[in-house]
Amino acid sequence: MSDLTQPTRGATAIRLEATNHEGSLLGKNVTPAKFASGKDSGFAFADILFAIDLNNEIVLGDAFPDWRGNLYDIQMVPDMSTLVEWKPGLDSVIGDYWLKDGRPVPICPRNMVRGLLEKLAAHGYTATAAVEIEATLFEESVHEARARGYRDLTPLGGSTGATYHLARSKDWIDYMEAVVARLDELGITWEAWTDEAAPGQTELNLAPTDPLRLCDGWARTRQVMREVAFELGHTVSFMAKPTAGFGQGAHINLSLQKDGVNQFFAEDGPSALMERAVAGLLATMEGATSVVMPQITSYRRLVDLTGPPTTVTWGVNNKTAAVRAITGHPKYSRLEYRLPGSDVNPYFALAVVLAGVLAGIEKELEPPAQVSDMAWCLPDDGVVKRIPDTMSKAGAALDADPLLREYLGDEFVDFWVASRRWEWMEFHTKGGDPFAELSAWESTRYFEFP
Amino acid sequence: MTETTTLLAREGAALAIAIEDDATPFVRQIAQALRRAARTGHAVEVLGGAAGAVAVRSHDTPQAATITLGEGTVEVASGVRVVPDATVVVDVHARFASVQEVEGDGVLAAAALSALQPPLPHWREAAASFWNETREIAGIPDVLVVDAVGPDGIEHGRFGVGATEYLLAGPADLLAGIFTGADDLPAALAAGVQVKGTLSQLSVMTAASWKVRFDV
């Protein structure tokens, strides 16, 4: 991502960045001198960053692993390949969390992706991934949005929804042009942006690259989109459903290469390797739902005929299925994993995709028959399963998934299941309304995160 | 519906308490209170042959549920999807205390409210039961130490044997509420209960508190 090997000469601060489990970039700004003293050994962060919710409450309800205690320190070690000049005077670098004994923090999102890529590499494969980032823009400033409780805001660019529409008003276009200009400055490669279905909504596609770099770029793109919105006096939200209308997702596209050759390509349809990958993704989909649909609002997207998948299905060129296989071209053959919400942690999203793909390959799984019909509204005949439609159902599925336990680790699964139970409990007992289409509690909690 | 049949200690009869699949915490909390009431015979005593639908609403959150009383059965479901025979508004942080005048059938409402508020056992009995029920929770300390402040001073209790201990101290009635599930441990900390142990142990003890309060 970066040619920098050390902070820029004019930098007065370096921003250390990494996501915790919720997916926003967390970190702190340090002086160049402090950075020089800690860039190899790491910077201390309290373990509590993996135990706070989006309301800054300590998450309770599970047994801590041995590296967590009464607010122990863990080390964030910067990955210097991610060092960029964020703006004049400020550099930024993304890091990973490590324990003092040199082991990666087992639930560190970035380290989890790194570990799964190493497992793929052991089979001789490299992965290429891309993401479609959906977000909704509002005319009001974030201060105004806060004052209104993030409700009744005005979609930027017009109040009608229209996919691919080029006649959005100039304020919407100015925003997106400013965003991609910033991405260019930061070296984050994007491919396209367009109007999406809901009023104020956009889709910004990051270009295919290696998964770790993609996650870094994805997390930073959210940061960029927030900063540009602030500068222009607008607001952007990555909530899975920022208004009671359309939801928004984050489709992940993935292919595997060996010696630079796309292994998902075959002349006559999905390659055998692609079918293994599909099988693994479907075998783990119910449990993975908990991770890629992390918040209460995530599940409000799951409505037939509105775009998101609702069934554990796949199909060649079938966008109503959860996994779409794009076949027949040596360059473009890939899988599109359509389940994640826009509120997902980028690293965890790639981790569960890689885990499913690895499980399919290593266990030599066979995929179910592909769905050539519409995959929404299918009869409840026991052949096709519905995607878990509540946080509690998805959490139970993850808890019981032996494949995800094997590939993501028991510690992660136990941690994540407990953290979602806490979230579910907070929603129900602290003011969330399960009977509303979108409750004020959700807007307050999720609008600005991740 | 997930059904549990609770044998009534005094009556020798059975009361089936059923909750819907994927039930909300509110539904679970109501069902747990009714199960406690059923175990001691309190439920049959106050419900008698009551029949009908009682809407239960939280006074400070959107939580709502419907208790449907029938012949030997109680069903609890989330929301209010029928026209109820009675509606009660309760404070879930105060053991289902009614906070405003009931609507509809006053007798039915009073019976339901009473069933939701079974008398608490002595803190020592409650602590022993709590300890037995929560043994399977990962990371649960071996020994529960209790300092209960009652009218005659501090009473001490130890439950279990082993290397790791956790202390709860506070008013006897509040401790009995935590141990039975009538009260919530994190909320009780703000109400004067004191603890001695690690943050990790508090996290596990919260899971134990939820086990008896919500059956999760």
Side-chain angles (χ1 to χ4, degrees), chain A residues 422-432 441, chain B residues 25-26 29 58 60-63 92-93 184 210 213-214:
Chain A
W422 170 271
E423 189 71 12
W424 171 80
M425 195 69 85
E426 289 288 290
F427 168 72
H428 283 284
T429 64
K430 300 278 181 71
W441 185 94
Chain B
F26 194 51
Q29 186 182 347
S58 160
D60 63 350
T61 70
Q63 294 184 96
V92 298
H93 311 294
D184 184 47
W210 286 352
R213 185 169 170 83
F214 300 106

Side-chain angles (χ1 to χ4, degrees), chain A residues 48 58-65 68-71 389-393 418 421-422 424-425 428-435, chain B residues 22-25 28 60-64 78-81 93 138-139 186 197-200 202-204 206-207 210 214 216:
Chain A
I48 199 73
I58 298 178
V59 175
L60 301 172
D62 63 333
F64 294 176
R68 284 182 59 197
N70 299 320
L71 312 189
D389 60 1
T390 65
M391 177 176 279
S392 39
K393 288 181 190 172
R421 184 173 62 175
W422 170 271
W424 171 80
M425 195 69 85
H428 283 284
T429 64
K430 300 278 181 71
D433 187 350
F435 312 111
Chain B
D22 199 33
T24 63
R28 292 174 167 279
D60 63 350
T61 70
Q63 294 184 96
S78 66
V80 181
R81 301 186 177 94
H93 311 294
T198 65
L199 183 57
S200 179
L202 174 63
S203 184
V204 173
T206 299
W210 286 352
F214 300 106
V216 294

Side-chain angles (χ1 to χ4, degrees), chain A residues 22 54 293-299 343 391 420 423 446:
Chain A
E22 298 288 9
L54 291 173
M293 299 183 61
Q295 312 299 356
I296 291 290
T297 312
S298 312
Y299 296 85
D343 50 357
M391 177 176 279
R420 294 312 93 184
E423 189 71 12
Y446 302 137

Side-chain angles (χ1 to χ4, degrees), chain A residues 108-160:
Chain A
C108 167
R110 198 166 185 271
N111 266 326
M112 284 173 62
V113 175
R114 195 194 295 277
L116 290 160
L117 289 173
E118 288 171 359
K119 286 186 177 176
L120 261 183
H123 292 279
Y125 299 121
T126 56
T128 300
V131 64
E132 305 162 21
I133 301 172
E134 293 182 351
T136 300
L137 318 170
F138 297 95
E139 283 186 9
E140 291 80 4
S141 70
V142 72
H143 300 111
E144 178 67 18
R146 288 169 184 163
R148 295 190 191 185
Y150 310 101
R151 315 280 282 189
D152 302 319
L153 301 178
T154 313
L156 187 68
S159 59
T160 57

Side-chain angles (χ1 to χ4, degrees), chain A residues 16-28 45 49-50 52-54 76 94-95 97 109-110 215-216 218-223 226 238-239 294-295 342-348 416 445-450:
Chain A
L16 310 171
E17 304 169 340
T19 73
N20 72 344
H21 53 294
E22 298 288 9
S24 291
L25 282 174
L26 308 182
K28 52 185 166 185
F45 282 76
L49 68 88
F50 283 110
I52 51 174
D53 68 13
L54 291 173
M76 196 256 256
I94 294 175
Y97 291 106
R110 198 166 185 271
C215 294
D216 294 342
W218 183 354
R220 279 178 160 166
T221 296
R222 286 175 172 167
Q223 184 79 13
R226 284 202 185 87
F238 302 95
M239 273 184 81
Q295 312 299 356
S342 55
D343 50 357
V344 69
N345 179 316
Y347 300 95
F348 284 162
W416 186 260
R445 193 172 182 92
Y446 302 137
F447 189 95
E448 292 196 48
F449 302 104

